[in-house]
Amino acid sequence: MDPVTLAVLNARFTAIVEEMGEALLRTAYSQILNSSRDFSIAVTDGACRLVAQADHIPVHVGAMPFAARAVLDRFGAAMKPGDVYLLNDPWHGGSHLPDLTIILPIFGEGSLRFLAVVRAHHSDIGGATHGGYNPGATEIWQEGLRIPPVLLGEGGEMRPDLVDMLALNTRINRDFRGDLAAMLGAAKLGALRLSALLDQHGATALMGAVDAILDLAHAHAARIVEAWPDGSWTGEAFLDDDGHGAENIAIRATCTKRGGTLTVDLSASDDQVRGFVNSSYPNMVSACCMAFAYLLDPEVAKNEGAFRALRVVAREGSVVWAREGAAVTLCTSHCSNEIVEAIMRAMQSCCPERVMGGWGRRFRIAITGEDARRPGRRFVWHLFHARPGGGGHARGDGWSTAGEWHSAGGLKFGSVEMAEARFPLHFRRHEFLPGSAGQGQHRGGMGAILELAVESAGPARANTAGDGARHGSAGIHGGQDSAPHRYALRHADGSERVLRTKEVGIVIAPGEVIEVRSAGGGGWGDPARRDPAAIEADRAEGLL
């Protein structure tokens, strides 16, 4: 197939996944999807090779082919047009339990040609605590409902009895049903568009084009890697704790570059721990793919072909690859961010112009209670506001309040006014936090300060789930680390208590205020080399 047609088809695959994402965004029920956009879309071929992904949540996408493979391994020849498959279990293709994945097969000329894959984070998935994150968990059965690959429905529809069973195990039944339906709608749209593409070009020609697109992406990625010096380098990053006594948990990466291949070996990382910072295998691989993608040119197609230039080695039983049954819910944030940080620390000695200063770590709060304005109506709200800063890089300063490495700006905090309209909350203050960024030749982005009053009917309860109150965002290539997070609950009498990153059952009285001071991003390069004009501009903006 000629190069122009290949380029058009590659763009068409990307357009399909982006359109699927827009459909999900506009039809989802929950705040976590229709405002904060915690979902991702991908298309694989019939061999479960990643063909295209939309620019959503990077840590999702490298794990999604594992979900496609789990469905194919479970159902294989029994799969047929119109089947609807669902899973979330980390040891059956998922990453962590709140991320549900719907998969639809697309056939052409009698054979499986594509799989439309939709992954979305649900506001609640049952388990011992509201909101999908249980800092007290020491095993996965305490974290929520586990779903291996199941046939959710046929003929493009879901079985009502299965949906009833799943929804009954969640706290926000309406949102769960609505979000699941939105996921199915997005997948069906993808199936429709891919079927039309098969009809237009024919299965043989289109699948040949897929092979060529993946080969070209591999060649592009390999050319970039080949330009780096051969060698081996090490880097490490540390989690604050697991919430159960383990502290300064180490993630260690040895990165070896030979020719057009980069090998990332995480085998020296600490053993798995009791708490929920352990990673599932798909999530660990996805974090490595994410870090590798950040080192490539933006124009490289982020598909299976590009990731052929990456080899991942790890040790089962370590914190980055926990054995089945471990608590893992926080893994898409932590330890995935620390995996990326360890790789960046290693690669600063290989290709410093391509690494970034550390992006801030995730520190979420999930609040549940009764809305005083809507008697009898309970809510679950996830904090996505006051996001940390992104890291500085060779071309400039980091983006302020852009979020964490695992989302790279894909997660949004959404409208303050909309959050206040939908939930019993009052945002008294939400602005950049001066001095929060790590300094460097190019500084990190700013974190934020948030003062949030909870106006529930009676006491609300909150769980925290995150990291970064001890370790700030990493400075890279001579840059400085950022300030760490500081979250506190301010009582009516003016006293406050600092919130730990992993707490269950925090009681919030009506009118009490949560004060968030989020970390900035890490700096890149020696601060002494910063342009004086940039320093003066920061001073004029009140950012120092």
Side-chain angles (χ1 to χ4, degrees), residues 255-303:
C255 297
T256 302
K257 184 266 173 179
R258 293 286 183 271
T261 301
L262 178 68
T263 299
V264 174
D265 189 341
L266 301 172
S267 301
S269 300
D270 282 354
D271 291 343
Q272 68 184 71
V273 293
R274 295 186 68 210
F276 64 169
V277 300
N278 301 296
S279 181
S280 61
Y281 183 83
N283 180 76
M284 178 269 293
V285 173
S286 190
C288 293
C289 291
M290 179 170 55
F292 183 62
Y294 294 158
L295 297 171
L296 301 177
D297 295 345
E299 297 79 15
V300 177
K302 308 307 189 296
N303 56 32

Side-chain angles (χ1 to χ4, degrees), residues 491-514:
H491 304 299
D493 63 4
S495 65
E496 67 174 27
R497 82 171 181 90
V498 175
L499 299 176
R500 300 190 307 275
T501 56
K502 303 165 185 72
E503 289 195 60
V504 179
I506 302 164
V507 177
I508 304 175
E512 290 190 328
V513 175
I514 297 171

Side-chain angles (χ1 to χ4, degrees), residues 395-413:
R395 298 296 181 90
D397 295 342
W399 293 324
S400 294
T401 63
E404 307 83 12
W405 247 324
H406 75 276
S407 59
L411 290 176
K412 314 296 182 184
F413 55 68

Side-chain angles (χ1 to χ4, degrees), residues 21-22 24-26 30-40 55-57 60 119-121 384 407 409-414:
E22 283 298 305
L24 177 53
L25 175 69
R26 295 171 187 273
S30 70
Q31 156 254 349
I32 204 168
L33 299 186
N34 64 27
S35 180
S36 298
R37 303 178 181 229
D38 197 348
F39 62 80
S40 295
D55 289 333
H56 292 137
I57 311 301
H60 282 165
R119 176 162 290 184
H121 186 116
F384 281 87
S407 59
L411 290 176
K412 314 296 182 184
F413 55 68

Side-chain angles (χ1 to χ4, degrees), residues 24-289:
L24 177 53
L25 175 69
R26 295 171 187 273
T27 56
Y29 278 38
S30 70
Q31 156 254 349
I32 204 168
L33 299 186
N34 64 27
S35 180
S36 298
R37 303 178 181 229
D38 197 348
F39 62 80
S40 295
I41 310 292
V43 167
T44 76
D45 68 0
C48 302
R49 299 182 300 176
L50 181 65
V51 174
Q53 58 167 300
D55 289 333
H56 292 137
I57 311 301
V59 77
H60 282 165
V61 181
M64 290 164 78
F66 288 93
R69 172 56 59 187
V71 167
L72 191 63
D73 289 346
R74 171 63 180 83
F75 294 97
M79 298 171 71
K80 60 186 184 300
D83 283 351
V84 180
Y85 298 97
L86 178 72
L87 62 85
N88 77 340
D89 187 69
W91 284 275
H92 294 88
S95 50
H96 70 166
L97 295 183
D99 285 342
L100 269 64
T101 305
I102 276 184
I103 295 176
L104 264 62
I106 297 97
F107 289 80
E109 299 176 12
S111 297
L112 177 66
R113 302 299 182 178
F114 295 104
L115 294 153
V117 187
V118 177
R119 176 162 290 184
H121 186 116
H122 282 246
S123 296
D124 190 85
I125 195 61
T129 62
H130 67 276
Y133 289 83
N134 178 11
T138 58
E139 57 183 10
I140 195 171
W141 296 277
Q142 298 165 339
E143 297 189 293
L145 182 65
R146 296 177 69 181
I147 308 167
V150 297
L151 178 61
L152 185 62
E154 299 175 283
E157 303 298 329
M158 296 182 286
R159 277 181 51 177
D161 57 340
L162 287 179
V163 174
D164 288 347
M165 184 274 292
L166 296 170
L168 188 64
N169 281 277
T170 69
R171 292 171 176 82
I172 310 296
N173 190 297
R174 173 184 177 274
D175 283 4
F176 180 86
R177 292 175 179 273
D179 289 347
L180 198 65
M183 292 173 67
L184 177 58
K188 290 172 70 173
L189 176 61
L192 181 68
R193 297 289 187 259
L194 290 164
S195 294
L197 209 57
L198 283 163
D199 290 342
Q200 179 181 357
H201 293 277
T204 300
L206 189 59
M207 302 322 294
V210 167
D211 288 339
I213 288 168
L214 300 184
D215 289 343
L216 286 168
H218 176 224
H220 193 172
R223 281 198 305 273
I224 293 170
V225 175
E226 285 169 355
W228 305 341
D230 285 351
S232 186
W233 307 272
T234 60
E236 62 182 6
F238 295 90
L239 291 148
D240 287 356
D241 61 85
D242 75 336
H244 294 271
E247 297 184 344
N248 295 317
I249 304 159
I251 311 296
R252 300 184 179 92
T254 297
C255 297
T256 302
K257 184 266 173 179
R258 293 286 183 271
T261 301
L262 178 68
T263 299
V264 174
D265 189 341
L266 301 172
S267 301
S269 300
D270 282 354
D271 291 343
Q272 68 184 71
V273 293
R274 295 186 68 210
F276 64 169
V277 300
N278 301 296
S279 181
S280 61
Y281 183 83
N283 180 76
M284 178 269 293
V285 173
S286 190
C288 293
C289 291

Side-chain angles (χ1 to χ4, degrees), residues 35-36 381 385 412-422 427:
S35 180
S36 298
W381 181 76
H385 295 76
K412 314 296 182 184
F413 55 68
S415 162
V416 165
E417 292 79 12
M418 185 63 71
E420 290 180 332
R422 296 174 66 179
F427 289 77

